[in-house]
Amino acid sequence: MIKRRNFLQYSLLFLAGCTTASQNSDRNTTHKISNWPTKLHFGISDVQDREILERDYATFRMRLEEVLETTIELVPLDNIVAVAPTMLAGELDLVWAGPSEYVVLSARAKPVPLVTLKRPGYRTVIVVPQESDIQSLADLQGKTLDIWKTGSTSHLGTAALFAEKNLQIQSDLKLVHLDPQAQLANLQAGKIDAFARGYTSYLTMLEKAGLSEDEQTRIIASTPEWPGDIFVASNQLDPEIVTEMRSRLLVGQKQLVEAILAIEDLSTRFEGASMEVAEDSDYDYMRQAYKAIGQESLIQ
C-alpha cells in the first residue's frame, strides 16, 4: 500500500451549527443524480484479512459512508493482480491503492483516478553508516543492500535510482530483505552495507533508537517525492457519479484523514496527509521503476 497536504475547506455545510434545512439541501444535491448507488464495494490493496479490515477500518468506513451518503461494504483483496478481474466483473467499485499497486491496477482494469492521499516526505532514501566509505550509488556496486521487501516502494525506488545512473540492481548489488524492524540494527552491526526505506520510516527508526538524523547514519541518495496513495473508481460507474464522488472526497477529507490517523498502523505514515485531485501522469515515475526491475509486463 502503502506521498500527501493542505486541507480544503467547505464553509458552513459541516459546521456543528448547520441547520437541518442546510443538511437536507446538501443531501438533495447528491440525489439529483437519479442513479446514485445505494451500496458501494470498497477494497484496500494491502488488506487481505476480513477481520482486520472490519476491525481497523470500521471508523473509516463509517466516515466514508457519511461523505458519500451510501452504504460501504468492505471487500478483502488478495493481491493487486487479482483485483482487476473483480473490478472488471462489477464486484468492486472503489479501491484504495498504494502507488505501486495503482500502476498495475491501472494497466489491467482502467479505473478512474479520484483523489490522491498525499504524504509529506514520502520518498525512498538509501542509508549507509556515517563512517562508511560509500559516498554514491556507484560505490554500492557489489555491496549488500536491504530493500525491506521485494516489490516495495523501497525496492522500486532503488531500482529507479540505479537505472538513472545506468546501473542495474540485480547485477550490481547483493539484494536482501531481512527483518524490516531490524534494518538500523543490522546496518550498525555490519550485516548490511546499506538499506533502502521510506524517509518518514527512516526518521521513525532513528527516533525509536534515540538518534538524530546524520548522527550515526547518512542518506546517499533519494528519489523524488512519490505520488500518494490513490482512491480509484470502477470505470463502469456513471461519469457523473464519479465526478460527484471526487468532489465529496475532497470536501470530506478532514473527517476521512482523521479516521485514517486513528488507525494505529497508519498514524505515523500518514501524519500531515491531505487529499488532492489525482492525475494518472503523476505515477509515471513509478512505471519507470517497474521497468527498471524488469517487470514491465505487470503494467502493460
Side-chain angles (χ1 to χ4, degrees), residues 183-196:
Q183 275 188 322
L184 184 59
N186 288 336
L187 187 72
Q188 293 169 326
K191 294 181 180 180
I192 55 177
D193 297 301
F195 67 76

Side-chain angles (χ1 to χ4, degrees), residues 128-180:
V128 300
Q130 181 61 252
E131 70 279 4
S132 172
D133 293 334
I134 299 170
Q135 302 294 329
S136 67
L137 292 177
D139 294 336
L140 274 174
Q141 291 183 86
K143 305 294 186 181
T144 300
L145 175 76
D146 189 327
I147 58 170
W148 183 32
K149 65 180 179 181
T150 301
S152 66
T153 306
S154 297
H155 180 200
L156 293 165
T158 301
L161 286 169
F162 265 66
E164 290 171 358
K165 301 296 183 182
N166 295 317
L167 299 169
Q168 298 295 322
I169 62 171
Q170 272 80 3
S171 58
D172 292 322
L173 285 172
K174 296 176 183 177
L175 295 180
V176 297
H177 40 91
L178 307 179
D179 181 356

Side-chain angles (χ1 to χ4, degrees), residues 102-103 106 280-281 283-291 299:
Y102 167 67
V103 294
S106 175
D280 178 78
S281 59
Y283 296 81
D284 286 346
Y285 188 75
M286 183 62 71
R287 294 181 173 100
Q288 294 174 25
Y290 268 96
K291 295 175 184 177
I299 57 172

